[in-house]
Amino acid sequence: MKTISTLIQEGLELLSSHKVESPHLDCEIIMQHVLGVERSFIIMNHADQVPMEKELLFWKLTKKRAERYPISQIIGNREFWSKNFIVNQHVLDPRPDSETLISTVLKYYPNKKQRLKIADFGTGTGCLLISVLSEYKYAIGIGFEKSLEAYKVAYQNTKKHDLLSRAKIFPSSWTECRGSFDLIISNPPYIKRSKLKDLQAEVQKEPRIALDGGIDGLNCYLSIFPILKKCLKKNGFAILEIGEDQNDIDKIIPSYELAFQEYVYDLAGMKRCIVVKRT
């Protein structure tokens, strides 16, 4: 049997040869997952021997990482907004950049005791809706997810975070949205179709339906804006994540009887969210 440190070193060499960006960290994460321990255990007990069945599992998962599967898909979870979410190949990986959207919600709704009614368009893992509801204990939310497989993941995460009483996930498109909402949030697909082939190998392992924003990257926004006009309350806000292909999207908002509020920048200084309201 080999030790924890030996296996991590050998795994690091394999991942490095396949140009994986953070080979040592990824090997540690895989080892934590295989042994069911915290990172501190790996550090403190690096000379411990790993049982053969655990070693075989370590190599199986490390080889998947070498094939450029995202680490979250391999271990089945990802942290977002200090919470842990179930992840698989049917949903987009929750990303730190998307936490900008949660911060923006807190800016626009500073009273955490508000009884907000929230809709999440294209909910995926449910990480946005669940994170917002965790901040507003009296809020309720609805998530719309047309992918049946992604819907199942969102439901699992809603159950995992004990929010089934305040959040309902519907296996349908946001075009089916009815009623009126104080807040509408979304991280829709926004990458230009021509750019999909240039994405990182890991990103290309994620569901295309969650990435493809159409020829100009605007397809989903042009679908969402009419729904905002119909379903957003008079004083409500919509906070939508955007990418580099939506830099001038504010110019088309007035034609939908919506008012542009602002762009919100992420920690890297990139436009990350757009805030709009009903006119």
Side-chain angles (χ1 to χ4, degrees):
M1 291 191 294
K2 295 182 179 179
T3 65
I4 289 173
S5 60
T6 298
L7 284 172
I8 287 176
Q9 181 59 36
E10 291 178 356
L12 184 158
E13 291 168 6
L14 174 65
L15 297 189
S16 296
S17 70
H18 285 78
K19 306 286 194 296
V20 172
E21 283 188 8
S22 52
H24 190 272
L25 176 62
D26 288 355
C27 285
E28 283 193 347
I29 291 171
I30 291 170
M31 184 62 77
Q32 284 174 237
H33 175 70
V34 166
L35 297 179
V37 298
E38 298 294 328
R39 186 164 184 260
S40 57
F41 180 93
I42 301 292
I43 295 168
M44 298 291 290
N45 300 278
H46 60 89
D48 283 10
Q49 291 187 324
V50 178
M52 184 55 68
E53 69 273 13
K54 300 286 188 182
E55 179 179 338
L56 292 173
L57 180 57
F58 172 81
W59 281 117
K60 178 183 177 181
L61 301 184
T62 303
K63 286 172 182 174
K64 284 199 77 172
R65 184 68 186 107
E67 293 169 12
R68 306 302 287 272
Y69 282 89
I71 192 75
S72 54
Q73 283 187 20
I74 293 169
I75 66 172
N77 61 76
R78 177 73 180 254
E79 186 176 295
F80 180 86
W81 202 251
S82 299
K83 292 172 176 49
N84 197 274
F85 291 90
I86 297 164
V87 174
N88 64 22
Q89 72 272 24
H90 300 296
V91 291
L92 197 66
D93 230 16
R95 289 169 166 79
D97 290 341
S98 296
E99 293 186 347
T100 305
L101 191 149
I102 311 298
S103 302
T104 305
V105 171
L106 293 170
K107 171 186 171 182
Y108 276 83
Y109 296 91
N111 178 10
K112 291 190 177 183
K113 293 183 178 179
Q114 279 185 266
R115 297 182 180 275
L116 298 172
K117 188 177 179 185
I118 305 163
D120 180 13
F121 292 171
T123 199
T125 59
C127 67
L128 294 179
L129 181 60
I130 290 167
S131 297
V132 171
L133 289 177
S134 73
E135 296 288 342
Y136 298 88
K137 303 300 182 186
Y138 301 102
I140 58 173
I142 295 175
F144 294 89
E145 178 50 67
K146 67 180 181 181
S147 162
L148 185 58
E149 294 300 330
Y151 155 80
K152 292 175 183 176
V153 176
Y155 179 84
Q156 285 180 293
N157 279 318
T158 305
K159 184 177 181 180
K160 176 180 179 178
H161 291 281
D162 298 319
L163 284 170
L164 289 177
S165 63
R166 292 200 287 131
K168 303 299 178 189
I169 311 297
F170 290 108
S172 60
S173 167
W174 56 63
T175 57
E176 301 299 313
C177 181
R178 302 290 183 269
S180 58
F181 296 87
D182 302 290
L183 169 67
I184 294 177
I185 58 176
S186 182
N187 178 16
Y190 54 66
I191 298 171
K192 280 185 179 179
R193 193 165 294 157
S194 61
K195 293 183 177 180
L196 291 173
K197 66 182 185 301
D198 300 320
L199 295 173
Q200 277 185 313
E202 287 84 354
V203 180
Q204 294 193 33
K205 299 285 189 184
E206 297 184 82
R208 186 184 175 99
I209 192 174
L211 300 167
D212 188 349
I215 293 172
D216 55 8
L218 296 175
N219 276 13
C220 290
Y221 301 93
L222 299 182
S223 168
I224 287 173
F225 290 154
I227 311 299
L228 299 185
K229 177 184 171 183
K230 180 179 71 172
C231 292
L232 198 56
K233 286 185 180 178
K234 193 170 184 180
N235 296 315
F237 293 97
I239 303 172
L240 315 175
E241 183 164 335
I242 60 171
E244 61 182 19
D245 296 319
Q246 293 79 40
N247 269 327
D248 299 317
I249 199 171
D250 59 289
K251 293 180 173 58
I252 64 175
I253 285 173
S255 61
Y256 291 90
E257 297 180 33
L258 299 168
F260 170 69
Q261 292 295 112
E262 66 168 329
Y263 285 117
V264 183
Y265 294 79
D266 61 24
L267 294 176
M270 303 287 290
K271 284 182 182 176
R272 183 57 55 189
C273 295
I274 187 170
V275 184
V276 303
K277 68 180 297 188
R278 286 265 306 277
T279 53

